[in-house]
Amino acid sequence: MTRETPFRLGVLGSGKGSNFGRIADEIAAVNVPAEVAIVLSDVENAGILAHARDRKIPSQFIPPGKFRTKLDEQSEPAYVRALQSANVDLIVLAGFMRVLKGDFLRAFEGRIVNIHPSLLPSFPGLEGWKQALDHGVKVTGCTVHFVDAGVDAGPIIGQQAVPVLDEDTPDSLHQRIHAAEHELYPKCVAAIARGDISVIGRRVYWKK
Ligand code: GRF
């Protein structure tokens, strides 16, 4: 079924925003049937905000408040309001370094996706590439998943494998995982925007 209005993305990021940039490129190339309605960041000088400005996409820094790893009680409703006013259909976490909690999750239930730099459920949390290297696995990669109340824990939409090489350093492995993310994330967002994804329990099915 074709939608009458474009599928609207709200992107949240704290860092350089290369995944956002890639998704925006794929939208421009008409490979992802969506538009980025708004980009929000908890870091005032984050690269992702500069990227959004360069692309003339509405963007905003919303201070995260007093906590280090989550949004505080003033900040969380400010994020929810900004995303609701932008009428977003899907929230795309692209390097957003804060855990989203109750009211935010309830406001956008089943409509938040994240990308994580490991093959989940292995190596959730920080620096998944380094955890993988330290553990000695031979294959790692990246995962796009729906966000629920756990950390890097929701239903898995897609994964892309990346081999670990003997000569890898954390940096070299991270770079190849990043390249894999840039392929995987736009594909997953496109599938959701097309309505090609269904979720039953923990299983995510792609329309053939
Ligand atoms: C990516 O490595 C992603 O896996 C993690 O945050 C990083 C964001 O990178 N969640 P970028 O800002 O998109 O370049």
Side-chain angles (χ1 to χ4, degrees):
M1 201 178 71
T2 341
R3 291 169 56 97
E4 281 172 14
T5 53
F7 189 85
R8 292 168 70 80
L9 309 179
V11 179
L12 269 59
S14 311
K16 28 182 222 280
S18 68
N19 278 286
F20 155 64
R22 193 51 188 265
I23 290 169
D25 286 347
E26 293 295 317
I27 289 175
V30 205
N31 294 326
V32 176
E35 68 183 11
V36 180
I38 192 159
V39 174
L40 301 178
S41 183
D42 58 329
V43 176
E44 195 160 16
N45 59 357
I48 195 169
L49 290 176
H51 260 312
R53 283 192 296 270
D54 290 348
R55 292 167 189 269
K56 314 257 180 296
I57 292 171
S59 63
Q60 203 184 332
F61 159 63
I62 304 183
K66 57 182 177 285
F67 301 119
R68 203 171 48 85
T69 58
K70 60 178 185 175
L71 303 172
D72 78 4
E73 58 285 359
Q74 264 119 50
S75 177
E76 183 185 78
Y79 275 81
V80 170
R81 274 196 304 274
L83 292 161
Q84 284 173 338
S85 323
N87 268 318
V88 300
D89 295 295
L90 183 72
I91 292 164
V92 176
L93 304 183
F96 191 62
M97 297 306 286
R98 285 170 195 272
V99 181
L100 299 171
K101 301 277 183 185
D103 282 348
F104 192 111
L105 297 178
R106 274 187 290 279
F108 304 105
E109 207 186 333
R111 296 192 291 139
I112 311 173
V113 294
N114 182 42
I115 187 149
H116 181 78
S118 75
L119 293 177
L120 291 171
S122 290
F123 314 125
L126 293 177
E127 299 191 323
W129 64 92
K130 188 164 182 302
Q131 295 185 52
L133 197 63
D134 290 347
H135 194 89
V137 295
K138 300 297 185 195
V139 179
T140 183
C142 53
T143 302
V144 175
H145 63 93
F146 285 105
V147 172
D148 64 12
V151 173
D152 303 323
I156 290 172
I157 303 163
Q159 295 187 301
Q160 192 155 320
V162 173
V164 180
L165 309 176
D166 288 348
E167 57 274 25
D168 262 330
T169 61
D171 269 0
S172 65
L173 182 56
H174 191 200
Q175 269 179 31
R176 291 205 311 291
I177 293 175
H178 236 125
E181 290 180 351
H182 295 162
E183 289 177 25
L184 181 66
Y185 216 177
K187 280 187 208 157
C188 293
V189 171
I192 296 169
R194 287 196 190 99
D196 284 353
I197 294 288
S198 55
V199 187
I200 302 175
R202 278 210 57 89
R203 309 265 320 256
V204 176
Y205 299 91
W206 291 56
K207 206 184 265 174
K208 297 271 177 341

PDB file of all heavy atoms in Angstrom, residues 133 164-173 176:
ATOM      1  N   LEU A 133      36.562  -7.923  20.347  1.00  0.00           N
ATOM      2  CA  LEU A 133      37.992  -8.168  20.126  1.00  0.00           C
ATOM      3  C   LEU A 133      38.625  -8.778  21.377  1.00  0.00           C
ATOM      4  O   LEU A 133      39.342  -9.779  21.311  1.00  0.00           O
ATOM      5  CB  LEU A 133      38.664  -6.834  19.774  1.00  0.00           C
ATOM      6  CG  LEU A 133      40.030  -6.896  19.134  1.00  0.00           C
ATOM      7  CD1 LEU A 133      39.971  -7.602  17.783  1.00  0.00           C
ATOM      8  CD2 LEU A 133      40.575  -5.470  18.916  1.00  0.00           C
ATOM      9  N   VAL A 164      36.491 -10.845  12.202  1.00  0.00           N
ATOM     10  CA  VAL A 164      37.570 -10.246  12.997  1.00  0.00           C
ATOM     11  C   VAL A 164      38.891 -10.781  12.441  1.00  0.00           C
ATOM     12  O   VAL A 164      39.060 -11.996  12.308  1.00  0.00           O
ATOM     13  CB  VAL A 164      37.431 -10.622  14.491  1.00  0.00           C
ATOM     14  CG1 VAL A 164      38.565  -9.990  15.297  1.00  0.00           C
ATOM     15  CG2 VAL A 164      36.069 -10.185  15.027  1.00  0.00           C
ATOM     16  N   LEU A 165      39.805  -9.879  12.083  1.00  0.00           N
ATOM     17  CA  LEU A 165      41.081 -10.294  11.489  1.00  0.00           C
ATOM     18  C   LEU A 165      42.172 -10.337  12.553  1.00  0.00           C
ATOM     19  O   LEU A 165      42.119  -9.601  13.548  1.00  0.00           O
ATOM     20  CB  LEU A 165      41.479  -9.295  10.384  1.00  0.00           C
ATOM     21  CG  LEU A 165      40.392  -9.007   9.335  1.00  0.00           C
ATOM     22  CD1 LEU A 165      40.862  -7.946   8.348  1.00  0.00           C
ATOM     23  CD2 LEU A 165      39.975 -10.291   8.614  1.00  0.00           C
ATOM     24  N   ASP A 166      43.176 -11.186  12.331  1.00  0.00           N
ATOM     25  CA  ASP A 166      44.264 -11.302  13.312  1.00  0.00           C
ATOM     26  C   ASP A 166      44.917  -9.953  13.584  1.00  0.00           C
ATOM     27  O   ASP A 166      45.321  -9.652  14.699  1.00  0.00           O
ATOM     28  CB  ASP A 166      45.347 -12.272  12.795  1.00  0.00           C
ATOM     29  CG  ASP A 166      44.863 -13.710  12.839  1.00  0.00           C
ATOM     30  OD1 ASP A 166      43.806 -13.964  13.466  1.00  0.00           O
ATOM     31  OD2 ASP A 166      45.529 -14.578  12.230  1.00  0.00           O
ATOM     32  N   GLU A 167      45.033  -9.137  12.523  1.00  0.00           N
ATOM     33  CA  GLU A 167      45.756  -7.869  12.676  1.00  0.00           C
ATOM     34  C   GLU A 167      44.860  -6.732  13.172  1.00  0.00           C
ATOM     35  O   GLU A 167      45.317  -5.588  13.271  1.00  0.00           O
ATOM     36  CB  GLU A 167      46.431  -7.479  11.343  1.00  0.00           C
ATOM     37  CG  GLU A 167      45.528  -7.356  10.142  1.00  0.00           C
ATOM     38  CD  GLU A 167      45.289  -8.689   9.398  1.00  0.00           C
ATOM     39  OE1 GLU A 167      45.418  -9.760  10.039  1.00  0.00           O
ATOM     40  OE2 GLU A 167      44.942  -8.655   8.210  1.00  0.00           O
ATOM     41  N   ASP A 168      43.596  -7.032  13.497  1.00  0.00           N
ATOM     42  CA  ASP A 168      42.680  -5.953  13.904  1.00  0.00           C
ATOM     43  C   ASP A 168      43.112  -5.277  15.203  1.00  0.00           C
ATOM     44  O   ASP A 168      43.567  -5.931  16.148  1.00  0.00           O
ATOM     45  CB  ASP A 168      41.249  -6.497  14.091  1.00  0.00           C
ATOM     46  CG  ASP A 168      40.380  -6.255  12.870  1.00  0.00           C
ATOM     47  OD1 ASP A 168      40.614  -5.251  12.165  1.00  0.00           O
ATOM     48  OD2 ASP A 168      39.482  -7.073  12.618  1.00  0.00           O
ATOM     49  N   THR A 169      42.929  -3.964  15.231  1.00  0.00           N
ATOM     50  CA  THR A 169      42.981  -3.184  16.463  1.00  0.00           C
ATOM     51  C   THR A 169      41.533  -2.786  16.738  1.00  0.00           C
ATOM     52  O   THR A 169      40.688  -2.894  15.834  1.00  0.00           O
ATOM     53  CB  THR A 169      43.809  -1.908  16.251  1.00  0.00           C
ATOM     54  OG1 THR A 169      43.151  -1.133  15.234  1.00  0.00           O
ATOM     55  CG2 THR A 169      45.237  -2.223  15.830  1.00  0.00           C
ATOM     56  N   PRO A 170      41.233  -2.280  17.937  1.00  0.00           N
ATOM     57  CA  PRO A 170      39.856  -1.818  18.159  1.00  0.00           C
ATOM     58  C   PRO A 170      39.421  -0.824  17.080  1.00  0.00           C
ATOM     59  O   PRO A 170      38.295  -0.906  16.571  1.00  0.00           O
ATOM     60  CB  PRO A 170      39.931  -1.155  19.546  1.00  0.00           C
ATOM     61  CG  PRO A 170      41.036  -1.872  20.243  1.00  0.00           C
ATOM     62  CD  PRO A 170      42.049  -2.195  19.171  1.00  0.00           C
ATOM     63  N   ASP A 171      40.315   0.065  16.675  1.00  0.00           N
ATOM     64  CA  ASP A 171      39.957   1.077  15.671  1.00  0.00           C
ATOM     65  C   ASP A 171      39.642   0.490  14.303  1.00  0.00           C
ATOM     66  O   ASP A 171      38.673   0.876  13.657  1.00  0.00           O
ATOM     67  CB  ASP A 171      41.108   2.075  15.492  1.00  0.00           C
ATOM     68  CG  ASP A 171      40.938   3.251  16.421  1.00  0.00           C
ATOM     69  OD1 ASP A 171      39.938   3.251  17.164  1.00  0.00           O
ATOM     70  OD2 ASP A 171      41.815   4.134  16.408  1.00  0.00           O
ATOM     71  N   SER A 172      40.500  -0.438  13.857  1.00  0.00           N
ATOM     72  CA  SER A 172      40.290  -0.989  12.512  1.00  0.00           C
ATOM     73  C   SER A 172      38.994  -1.804  12.475  1.00  0.00           C
ATOM     74  O   SER A 172      38.230  -1.732  11.510  1.00  0.00           O
ATOM     75  CB  SER A 172      41.489  -1.837  12.065  1.00  0.00           C
ATOM     76  OG  SER A 172      41.627  -2.970  12.888  1.00  0.00           O
ATOM     77  N   LEU A 173      38.741  -2.548  13.558  1.00  0.00           N
ATOM     78  CA  LEU A 173      37.506  -3.341  13.600  1.00  0.00           C
ATOM     79  C   LEU A 173      36.290  -2.416  13.648  1.00  0.00           C
ATOM     80  O   LEU A 173      35.298  -2.624  12.943  1.00  0.00           O
ATOM     81  CB  LEU A 173      37.537  -4.270  14.826  1.00  0.00           C
ATOM     82  CG  LEU A 173      36.339  -5.193  14.995  1.00  0.00           C
ATOM     83  CD1 LEU A 173      36.118  -6.071  13.766  1.00  0.00           C
ATOM     84  CD2 LEU A 173      36.504  -6.075  16.244  1.00  0.00           C
ATOM     85  N   ARG A 176      35.393  -1.079  10.219  1.00  0.00           N
ATOM     86  CA  ARG A 176      34.666  -2.003   9.321  1.00  0.00           C
ATOM     87  C   ARG A 176      33.240  -2.225   9.810  1.00  0.00           C
ATOM     88  O   ARG A 176      32.321  -2.390   9.012  1.00  0.00           O
ATOM     89  CB  ARG A 176      35.427  -3.327   9.155  1.00  0.00           C
ATOM     90  CG  ARG A 176      36.725  -3.180   8.372  1.00  0.00           C
ATOM     91  CD  ARG A 176      37.160  -4.463   7.689  1.00  0.00           C
ATOM     92  NE  ARG A 176      37.150  -5.599   8.582  1.00  0.00           N
ATOM     93  CZ  ARG A 176      37.987  -5.785   9.606  1.00  0.00           C
ATOM     94  NH1 ARG A 176      38.928  -4.897   9.873  1.00  0.00           N
ATOM     95  NH2 ARG A 176      37.889  -6.850  10.360  1.00  0.00           N
TER      96      ARG A 176
END
